[in-house]
Amino acid sequence: MAIIGTRGYPSYYGGFETAVRHLAPHLAESGREVTVYGRPGQERDDDPALDTRVIRRTTRGAESKSLSTLTFGLTATLDAVRRRPDAALVMNCANGFWLPLLRAAGIRSVVNVDGLEWERAKWGRLARAVFRAGAWCTARFADQLVFDAEAIRRYWEREFGVTGTMIPYGGSEVGTLPLSADDAHLTGKPFALVVARFVPENTIPEFLTAAERIAERHQVVVVGSSGYGGELDERVAALATRNPRVHWLGHVADDSRLLALWCHASAYFHGHSVGGTNPALVQAMHCGAPTVARDTVYNREVLDDTGAAFVAAEPDAIATAVIDLLDDRDRQRSLRRRVRDRARAVYTWDAVCSEYERALSLPPSTTASDQRHGAPCPSSGADRVEQGIPAAVER
């Protein structure tokens, strides 16, 4: 079988790549021949977790924000058509344009649709239209659909008239790791933590305003950056310069350091507001991070009743909820236990990989096959508020 639509294996870029790091060896262990398509220069040959049974192939494409997914998806699909695997797991509904090629070659397609890309603020009007059209093609031509949240599945049922399987992301149990030497100054101190790319839809502007109030009494650790500089990077740098309780770490590539921060955080703020199941939130849960989350249908679905608070994207609401949690050690201990229990029960990689193996082994979904030919053309999505889907935002 082939896996199309990620940057490669093993790669640590994002949620898709994290899933494939676990899934590809699982499928190889079950006796499948697994080929993961990727991009040049994205794979780590020295990774100790590399499973040599997984075949890795790179294809060419255009490395640009607007064209990379489409072009690398096309060249990977063309190579798969030539090699004729029995099935293809396709990541991202933008690759829906190429599903007719797989169907013509007799290759069964299972598509993880990802979130609602056409709703994300980072894309311009043309890119959003392309993503929406790719979603329509996915609804029409995919043999099986995978959604990483129930809210996403319900959206596709309403908008495109198709359904499929809900398979969330998983996480790994890590116990309690010691803080790194660079973060040793936080030992024994209650601190607030945020981990996110610096884009407005991750509630970073609002959190930075809230951080000024939080840092009057407590430590605040900010992990992330825009990746290219800009207003938000300048703002957090200035805040860290003015207030010694604010620590900006930028992008943290050391997984063990990040996991330890989640393990020791007294309050983790999760401001992501695009669907569906967020991999960072799931891993934070496995680390036992007491969490204040932005109030979205997705965050409520994942945390259920283990969230400390669900708040509006308003600085005062964020600051109040985070400070209340930082001041309550007993509540922190209770939430750590409960959030870990939920992660172990619902969001494990063993369960996720088994569900993917089942989806890849099933014959084409009769529900999706029967309904896709009647799927409506892309709509404006103007009724998303009534449907409980938050407005344009990014994971």
Side-chain angles (χ1 to χ4, degrees), residues 180-197:
S180 71
D182 291 332
D183 303 317
H185 60 281
L186 297 169
T187 301
K189 299 177 181 178
F191 67 90
L193 173 68
V194 66
V195 180
R197 279 183 290 174

Side-chain angles (χ1 to χ4, degrees), residues 199-218:
V199 290
E201 44 268 38
N202 285 348
T203 327
I204 292 299
E206 295 84 358
F207 180 82
L208 294 181
T209 300
E212 297 186 40
R213 183 176 149 200
I214 298 168
E216 292 174 2
R217 296 169 51 193
H218 296 288

Side-chain angles (χ1 to χ4, degrees), residues 38-220:
R39 305 179 186 182
Q42 297 291 322
E43 299 168 339
R44 291 177 50 171
D45 295 326
D46 60 344
D47 193 315
L50 173 65
D51 191 320
T52 56
R53 294 172 298 181
V54 177
I55 301 167
R56 301 182 295 170
R57 295 190 60 79
T58 58
T59 59
R60 295 182 179 274
E63 283 287 2
S64 73
K65 177 180 176 180
S66 58
L67 294 175
S68 58
T69 297
L70 291 172
T71 56
F72 282 105
L74 173 59
T75 55
T77 299
L78 290 173
D79 190 81
V81 165
R82 184 167 67 89
R83 297 175 184 278
R84 300 294 178 95
D86 59 339
L89 174 60
V90 180
M91 302 297 206
N92 198 325
C93 66
N95 288 312
F97 294 109
W98 321 131
L99 296 179
L101 299 175
L102 296 175
R103 174 170 290 188
I107 301 170
R108 192 171 107 75
S109 61
V110 176
V111 182
N112 181 319
V113 304
D114 199 18
L116 310 179
E117 287 286 342
W118 54 92
E119 295 278 335
R120 295 187 175 184
K122 71 174 182 176
W123 300 116
R125 182 177 298 178
L126 178 59
R128 293 182 193 186
V130 169
F131 275 114
R132 181 78 187 196
W136 182 83
C137 290
T138 297
R140 182 174 180 83
F141 295 110
D143 291 309
Q144 185 84 6
L145 298 179
V146 170
F147 311 99
D148 65 28
E150 281 296 330
I152 296 292
R153 183 185 62 78
R154 292 194 298 268
Y155 180 94
W156 276 67
E157 285 184 342
R158 288 187 294 262
E159 291 290 301
F160 301 109
V162 294
T163 190
T165 302
M166 199 287 278
I167 307 177
Y169 285 98
S172 302
E173 292 192 40
V174 297
T176 301
L177 301 173
L179 288 168
S180 71
D182 291 332
D183 303 317
H185 60 281
L186 297 169
T187 301
K189 299 177 181 178
F191 67 90
L193 173 68
V194 66
V195 180
R197 279 183 290 174
F198 283 11
V199 290
E201 44 268 38
N202 285 348
T203 327
I204 292 299
E206 295 84 358
F207 180 82
L208 294 181
T209 300
E212 297 186 40
R213 183 176 149 200
I214 298 168
E216 292 174 2
R217 296 169 51 193
H218 296 288
Q219 306 290 318
V220 178

Side-chain angles (χ1 to χ4, degrees), residues 190-193 207 209-220 266-269 290-292 308-309 311 315-329 331-332:
F191 67 90
L193 173 68
F207 180 82
T209 300
E212 297 186 40
R213 183 176 149 200
I214 298 168
E216 292 174 2
R217 296 169 51 193
H218 296 288
Q219 306 290 318
V220 178
S266 301
Y268 167 57
F269 176 69
T291 301
V292 172
V311 298
D316 284 345
I318 296 168
T320 297
V322 169
I323 292 171
D324 286 348
L325 182 55
L326 288 169
D327 288 342
D328 193 336
R329 294 293 183 95
R331 191 171 177 222
Q332 292 168 29

